[in-house]
Structure formats: structure tokens, C-alpha cells
Amino acid sequence: MRVQDRPSGGINHEKAPFAKPGKHLTNLLEIIDFVKPTALIGAAAQGKQFTVEVIKKMCALNERPIIFALSNPTSKAECNADDAYSHTDGKLVYATGSTFPNYDYKGKVFHPGQGNNCKHSSLKNYSVSCIL
């Protein structure tokens, strides 16, 4: 999360307009508590960052949380389909950057979508539209 007066790393001029006043947070669970997002978009190739606790917190905040684990290969995905569906009781909107097999949960078959098949500029534009 980008905040004004960030104590480490600074903020370049491209990110400065999006920096908000607030405490500098680096723990994803604390950031979710502060921001209360409806969606998480993972695109940094930092595998397993959307932990069970993160997924459950998103579900507690949202009736249908949006979780896009777009990094690939599969080993870099922020979470897998099993965790995403089982820890939200199948209520989330989920997309991945890698192909995951269909997932059977409580007799219902879920088909994880692959949401990264577009040009990088389109992802950038999509991300900016989510911010606005």
C-alpha cells in the first residue's frame, strides 16, 4: 500500500498521486483491515501471499470477494483454487494466471478462470481503473 511520507523506498512521481495519508503498513492482513477491499489482485509473482487467513478475512468482509491470483507459473500463484474455494465456501469470484484443474467442492464443480491472457498494457489499465 502506498502512503504519503513512506519511511522506506520512497514514492516516485508516477505513484505520488495515488499515495494516501495513513500509517505505513506492510502486513497484508493489516492492510486488508485498514482498506477493507472488495478485491485482491496478485500480479507480483510472490507465491502463497494470499494465505488461508487472508482468504477468510476477505470472505468476512465481502459476500462475494474477488480474488485474482494472476502470477504464473503455478508455483508463483498467490493462492491455489483449493484454498480459494474451500475457505470461502465457494462464494468468491476467482481467476488465475495459470491453468488450474476444475475443483469439486461440496458436490459443486468450480471452473477456475484464467484471467491473464491479455497484453500487459491492458492489465495496467485495468489496475488503474480498479483504483479509480
Side-chain angles (χ1 to χ4, degrees):
M1 188 171 87
R2 300 285 182 232
V3 294
Q4 296 167 349
D5 303 320
R6 184 176 169 197
S8 62
I11 297 177
N12 63 26
H13 70 279
E14 290 93 352
K15 296 175 185 169
F18 301 102
K20 305 291 183 203
K23 180 180 173 187
H24 178 68
L25 302 172
T26 57
N27 177 285
L28 186 54
L29 288 170
E30 291 176 0
I31 293 169
I32 291 170
D33 281 336
F34 179 73
V35 176
K36 301 192 181 355
T38 57
L40 288 179
I41 301 173
Q46 299 294 315
K48 310 290 186 213
Q49 294 300 305
F50 298 167
T51 62
V52 171
E53 294 81 13
V54 167
I55 294 167
K56 286 182 176 183
K57 185 170 289 276
M58 285 296 293
C59 195
L61 289 172
N62 302 284
E63 185 176 335
R64 297 223 18 167
I66 301 165
I67 298 179
F68 290 170
L70 299 179
S71 295
N72 56 37
T74 305
S75 63
K76 300 285 187 178
E78 290 75 16
C79 67
N80 62 43
D82 298 356
D83 287 341
Y85 289 115
S86 65
H87 296 295
T88 61
D89 202 27
K91 296 188 285 188
L92 83 162
V93 176
Y94 180 68
T96 69
S98 299
T99 303
F100 278 92
N102 292 342
Y103 182 69
D104 189 338
Y105 179 72
K106 293 186 176 181
K108 184 174 182 179
V109 178
F110 292 90
H111 308 277
Q114 191 171 355
N116 69 336
N117 289 329
C118 61
K119 295 183 189 238
H120 291 290
S121 61
S122 297
L123 275 177
K124 180 180 174 185
N125 293 335
Y126 177 75
S127 298
V128 170
S129 69
C130 289
I131 293 169
L132 302 176

